[in-house]
Amino acid sequence: MSDMFSAEWMNGFKERWNADSDLAGALEKIGFNSTIGYGFDGEASPRGFIRVENGHVVEAGDYNNQELNWDLRATPESWNKWMKKPPGMMGLGMAYTSRKLKFNVGDYTAMIKDPRMAGPFIRSFSAMGS
């Protein structure tokens, strides 16, 4: 397996995301567009990113100062844990409140209160780990 959040890894994530109708399809229904960075807590910038248009990832790779709507950070250990066993709604809430999952950019509260976004967000962890 390639290094987590490397360009190769992010492109594999893109393929899995787009193949998952409960993820890409659900976000397509609400016209979800976003640029999302992924990385490790404590680092200056994310390592990888995806750009989503109408629910589908249209670009993925190394982060190179793209303007982000979301910037998600956690330790490598936490990312690995969630990829092996994706968190449910309660696990996600606990990860956020305990600062194991940080939103350096983006509004976690607004996202989690909207079931049209919360379900696919949780589903994205399954796409990461498959």
Side-chain angles (χ1 to χ4, degrees), residues 17 21 23-32 52-56 120:
W17 175 300
S21 62
L23 177 52
L27 292 173
E28 180 179 27
K29 288 177 185 170
I30 62 169
F32 181 79
V52 182
E53 290 182 5
N54 288 319
H56 296 271

Side-chain angles (χ1 to χ4, degrees), residues 12-54:
F13 179 41
K14 170 187 173 182
E15 290 173 17
R16 293 184 300 275
W17 175 300
N18 288 339
D20 187 337
S21 62
D22 290 333
L23 177 52
L27 292 173
E28 180 179 27
K29 288 177 185 170
I30 62 169
F32 181 79
N33 299 306
S34 223
T35 302
I36 308 167
Y38 295 89
F40 300 124
D41 189 27
E43 293 186 348
S45 60
R47 292 187 174 206
F49 86 102
I50 58 172
R51 187 166 55 86
V52 182
E53 290 182 5
N54 288 319

Side-chain angles (χ1 to χ4, degrees), residues 4 74-84 100-101 125:
M4 190 183 315
T75 64
E77 296 78 21
S78 290
W79 283 120
N80 279 318
K81 175 183 164 188
W82 297 326
M83 286 180 210
K84 287 180 181 135
K100 288 184 177 178
L101 176 62
F125 288 91

